Amino acid sequence: MLDSQITFAALGWQAWMSLGTTAIVLLLLAVTRISADIVLMAGLSILLVGGVLSPSEALKGFANEGVMTIAALYIVAAGLKETGAVAWLAHRFLGQPGTTRMALLRVMLPTSLLSAFINNTPVVAMFIPAVQDWARRMNIPASRLLLPLSYAAILGGTCTLIGTSTNLVVNGLLIEYQGGAGLGMFEVGLVGFPLLVLASLFILMTSCWLLPDRAGPVEQLGCVREYAVEMRVTAQGGIQGRSIQQAGLRHLAHGYLVDIYRGGELLSAVSPNETLQIDDQLFFVGTADSIIELRSIPGLEPVDDQHQKLDIASHQRALAEVVVAPGGSLEGQSVRAARFRTYYNAAIISVSRNGARLQGKIGDLVLRGGDTLLLETSNDFIKNQRNNKEFLLISPLQNCRVPDHRKAPLSLAILAIMVAANSSGLLPMLHAALLAAGLMLATRCMASRVARNSLDISVLTVIASSFALGSALTNTGAAQAIASQLIGNNMGPWLTLAVIYALTSLFTEVITNNAAAVLMMPIATAVAEQLGVSYMPYVITLMFAASASFMTPIGYQTNLMVYGPGGYRFTDYMRIGLPLNLFAGLITVMLVPLIWPF
């Protein structure tokens, strides 16, 4: 054990090398565009080669329980997404708001709930188009809704141990530090839930003054390619016997219902209270994304059966847009005569001409040069046909796999088993997460390829590499020297707790939240040791501070995701994020010592 009172003057060369390396890493993360995983791995390598750390110390982060738990939870989240369980839950919660504040509430409530148990990145990605659609229909800027969406995901993640990777990382560090069991599943919720409620009320009350009134790129563009899509109501899925409004078809994010063809009769301008019947043919108009949206709704299937005849497994299918080359062999042919399924193993779903949809039976439409075709095909189509002279342009649609809704209840059951196994004390979090990931694969809720692709290696590398810097600061006495400097003015436990929160919060805005938590952990425990008080309030406080990234778009991934769609500027985050961060810090510093006393 190092002397609890260490000054900077007493530090050796290894401590100064650790401080210098950490300072350079922080500077590069803050002011350059070099990816965080490269920067952290370079720092790890310097400390290893320089003899500050042994190989086992430098690489121990890659075997940390928190890091491995995060990796397993990526697979669990992918299973929920692939089965459409996340979209189903969001569809049940959202409804149709009538005012801006009600829209904010409807966005923040399900987002925070889902983010407490699921990685918040896919949750925010799923909500962004729905929020943009609300903004267009309600004639309000998307900038009023998208930033609160990100903040709700961040706040919701603080309510459970698995809600954010930061909680898992700090819990892993805590297990190493105290050599025993970590935190319980809902233990952090004693602070996280009050923080979520109070911070959400703060956002709702101040949104009209602090959120910007700015148009995003969708509102600025004003014109996109439009397609006609025909779907059939099936007996599976549960939308038969429900009204259009109840089935969620009244307010789609990317399209709208035009007509219903039922028993030889065409119903136009249908009421939202019209009851859907089995074999109803529904005619929709929308963007290419409307195809993805409609196919994700249980109980709907395409009327055209060409896609069913494709010799492609469901998990290997993709959607793509191609433009017919003028003067090519396709020009002047009907869709049926073009025989796309035979020649290209692709099915034409819809045709757009000059940005507008073409009406009529797909097979009877005559193609012209410049027509945009929406295809269902294989993942290899883009690579194989990119140089085809019949197409001027080929582009894939992102995230276009059709979820297997039949397994949505199964994936939700697996999530419930994981939560119950850990919260009851039956299994540690790592064991429960690995069990859930294995069940997702064993029950084929997702393909193994999807599971591999779901692992964000760069994020895992950043977290694991950060442990090397934290170990170097602890082992060389640098963390204790920083702690001595912090409490050198006879600051008491409450004031030092506020300082720990402020420093961690500042770091998480300019570097990654997980790296900030790992770097501040040895400093926080050293402060507690020198004050002779419990380390738990300091550990819990830095856990919340590392997640409190509200002031910049680069501090948290979901903040960056809404930056473009909301048309935000850097200063917009500071305008609402600074008071929100101060408010969240005040609540945290007040509540934590009441639950985990000094």
Side-chain angles (χ1 to χ4, degrees):
M1 177 70 67
L2 292 166
D3 186 351
S4 61
Q5 295 292 333
I6 299 179
T7 64
F8 284 112
L11 294 178
W13 69 268
Q14 290 181 320
W16 285 109
M17 186 174 181
S18 301
L19 288 170
T21 302
T22 303
I24 293 172
V25 165
L26 293 176
L27 182 64
L28 290 175
L29 290 173
V31 303
T32 72
R33 295 188 176 183
I34 304 174
S35 61
D37 54 335
I38 299 298
V39 173
L40 268 299
M41 279 299 295
L44 179 153
S45 301
I46 290 171
L47 295 172
L48 177 62
V49 175
V52 177
L53 294 175
S54 66
S56 60
E57 290 172 331
L59 300 176
K60 73 173 184 177
F62 292 91
N64 180 267
E65 183 172 326
V67 177
M68 294 300 102
T69 303
I70 294 168
L73 288 176
Y74 273 131
I75 298 176
V76 176
L80 293 166
K81 183 179 179 183
E82 286 295 302
T83 59
V86 176
W88 180 82
L89 286 172
H91 178 71
R92 293 288 180 182
F93 277 112
L94 285 178
Q96 176 59 27
T99 64
T100 303
R101 275 209 171 95
M102 183 56 67
L104 269 175
L105 185 61
R106 294 257 183 130
V107 165
M108 296 181 70
L109 181 62
T111 302
S112 56
L113 177 63
L114 289 171
S115 295
F117 299 98
I118 306 170
N119 185 287
N120 49 27
T121 301
V123 173
V124 172
M126 176 190 64
F127 274 99
I128 285 175
V131 170
Q132 288 176 305
D133 180 62
W134 278 353
R136 288 194 296 270
R137 289 200 308 268
M138 297 168 62
N139 197 28
I140 60 174
S143 58
R144 295 279 190 180
L145 303 173
L146 288 174
L147 198 51
L149 168 68
S150 175
Y151 289 168
I154 294 172
L155 292 166
T158 64
C159 294
T160 67
L161 184 62
I162 64 172
T164 173
S165 58
T166 306
N167 290 0
L168 291 166
V169 168
V170 175
N171 187 57
L173 289 168
L174 181 62
I175 291 173
E176 288 187 5
Y177 182 79
Q178 66 183 12
L183 297 166
M185 171 70 77
F186 299 104
E187 195 171 351
V188 292
L190 296 173
V191 174
F193 183 72
L195 177 62
L196 168 64
V197 172
L198 294 173
S200 298
L201 288 174
F202 177 88
I203 295 171
L204 288 171
M205 298 301 296
T206 62
S207 60
C208 56
W209 301 294
L210 299 180
L211 287 170
D213 187 350
R214 193 170 295 119
V218 172
E219 292 83 358
Q220 296 170 9
L221 185 62
C223 175
V224 292
R225 284 188 296 276
E226 199 174 65
Y227 294 99
V229 186
E230 189 174 353
M231 306 292 288
R232 178 188 293 113
V233 177
T234 67
Q236 295 78 30
I239 66 171
Q240 77 278 9
R242 303 175 66 186
S243 69
I244 293 172
Q245 178 81 30
Q246 292 169 338
L249 303 179
R250 178 65 175 173
H251 299 287
L252 297 168
H254 303 286
Y256 57 93
L257 178 62
V258 180
D259 302 313
I260 297 179
Y261 186 75
R262 177 184 296 159
E265 180 182 0
L266 186 66
L267 308 179
S268 299
V270 290
S271 164
N273 297 319
E274 181 71 35
T275 301
L276 296 170
Q277 300 179 14
I278 296 176
D279 290 332
D280 278 354
Q281 295 184 25
L282 312 181
F283 295 88
F284 296 90
V285 171
T287 65
D289 287 331
S290 67
I291 311 294
I292 304 170
E293 182 179 19
L294 290 170
R295 291 193 176 192
S296 69
I297 299 175
L300 291 181
E301 68 176 12
V303 171
D304 184 13
D305 63 352
Q306 290 301 306
H307 75 288
Q308 298 175 353
K309 299 178 181 178
L310 294 176
D311 187 21
I312 308 170
S314 59
H315 67 275
Q316 295 177 335
R317 296 190 179 198
L319 297 179
E321 290 181 296
V322 304
V323 178
V324 177
S329 63
L330 292 176
E331 190 170 21
Q333 291 194 60
S334 68
V335 168
R336 185 177 294 107
R339 302 181 68 186
F340 256 73
R341 185 169 59 84
T342 302
Y343 294 130
Y344 305 110
N345 199 20
I348 300 177
I349 298 173
S350 189
V351 181
S352 177
R353 180 172 296 162
N354 297 323
R357 69 188 185 278
L358 291 185
Q359 298 180 342
K361 293 285 187 181
I362 288 289
D364 297 333
L365 296 178
V366 177
L367 301 176
R368 296 182 187 174
D371 285 353
T372 304
L373 312 180
L374 186 61
L375 307 177
E376 180 167 3
T377 182
S378 69
N379 293 319
D380 296 330
F381 179 85
I382 305 300
K383 177 179 66 177
N384 297 337
Q385 305 297 335
R386 188 171 293 280
N387 297 318
N388 193 313
K389 295 181 180 179
E390 302 295 340
F391 314 129
L392 287 177
L393 171 70
I394 305 178
S395 61
L397 270 66
Q398 300 299 319
N399 300 317
C400 58
R401 285 191 300 272
V402 180
D404 186 358
H405 291 287
R406 296 170 301 175
K407 294 188 176 180
L410 178 59
S411 65
L412 288 172
I414 292 173
L415 175 66
I417 290 172
M418 181 189 75
V419 173
N422 177 253
S423 57
S424 65
L426 182 63
L427 290 175
M429 190 62 246
L430 175 60
H431 297 62
L434 289 173
L435 173 64
L439 288 174
M440 288 288 187
L441 288 167
T443 56
R444 303 189 67 81
C445 286
M446 78 187 105
S448 57
R449 175 181 58 84
V450 175
R452 283 191 295 269
N453 292 339
S454 70
L455 295 174
D456 196 330
I457 301 300
S458 62
V459 171
L460 296 174
T461 301
V462 166
I463 300 171
S465 302
S466 300
F467 281 77
L469 298 182
S471 295
L473 293 176
T474 302
N475 296 349
T476 62
Q480 286 80 356
I482 296 172
S484 297
Q485 190 68 28
L486 286 177
I487 64 175
N489 296 322
N490 297 319
M491 291 192 297
W494 285 88
L495 189 53
T496 53
L497 197 67
V499 171
I500 291 295
Y501 184 96
L503 285 175
T504 308
S505 180
L506 179 63
F507 281 159
T508 202
E509 296 292 358
V510 294
I511 62 174
T512 68
N513 53 331
N514 293 308
V518 174
L519 291 177
M520 285 300 299
M521 181 71 173
I523 298 173
T525 52
V527 167
E529 180 183 337
Q530 293 187 24
L531 286 173
V533 297
S534 171
Y535 55 82
M536 281 304 296
Y538 291 90
V539 171
I540 300 297
T541 295
L542 80 86
M543 177 186 288
F544 280 90
S547 294
S549 179
F550 306 119
M551 295 189 295
T552 69
I554 61 174
Y556 208 90
Q557 187 171 0
T558 57
N559 285 352
L560 194 59
M561 289 170 65
V562 301
Y563 186 83
Y568 294 113
R569 299 170 187 165
F570 197 93
T571 53
D572 294 331
Y573 289 78
M574 186 65 70
R575 183 166 65 179
I576 186 172
L578 179 59
L580 179 59
N581 214 337
L582 293 173
F583 184 69
L586 179 63
I587 294 170
T588 303
V589 172
M590 288 177 60
L591 285 181
V592 168
L594 299 179
I595 301 169
W596 291 274
F598 291 110

